[in-house]
Amino acid sequence: MKTLTIQEIAQATGAKILIQDDTIVKNISHVTQDSREAKENSLFVALKGENTDGHRYVTDCMKRGVGACLIEQEMTPENGC
């Protein structure tokens, strides 16, 4: 299995990476699109679906200590971050 950095994932998908601080997370051990499964060292992928928009859960995931969030829209206090 090929290993990719967060930056490579963002470049390949055209998404943006939102991290807790200026530290680059090097050890992502879990990737999920379900915010309920997001945990420390996770990469939360915020997807827009039929019933909800994963971007609504980015703030909660960040509070729970995820390593990073893969997002496709700018996050501001007005739209959830």
Side-chain angles (χ1 to χ4, degrees):
M1 179 175 183
K2 182 175 178 170
T3 302
L4 298 172
T5 66
I6 293 173
Q7 292 81 2
E8 290 170 328
I9 293 168
Q11 184 176 20
T13 61
K16 296 170 180 53
I17 298 291
L18 183 63
I19 58 174
Q20 292 283 21
D21 54 37
D22 292 336
T23 305
I24 299 298
V25 178
K26 296 184 184 200
N27 296 313
I28 294 295
S29 58
H30 181 253
V31 178
T32 185
Q33 65 187 29
D34 185 340
S35 63
R36 297 167 295 186
E37 295 178 1
K39 57 189 175 190
E40 189 174 340
N41 295 326
S42 289
L43 172 62
F44 173 65
V45 180
L47 298 176
K48 188 171 185 176
E50 289 182 30
N51 298 318
T52 191
D53 183 346
H55 294 84
R56 293 178 46 204
Y57 305 102
V58 168
T59 300
D60 181 54
C61 289
M62 297 296 276
K63 287 179 183 174
R64 288 190 281 134
V66 297
C69 295
L70 186 69
I71 57 176
E72 62 180 351
Q73 68 186 41
E74 291 295 325
M75 300 301 297
T76 65
E78 293 78 31
N79 70 5
C81 186

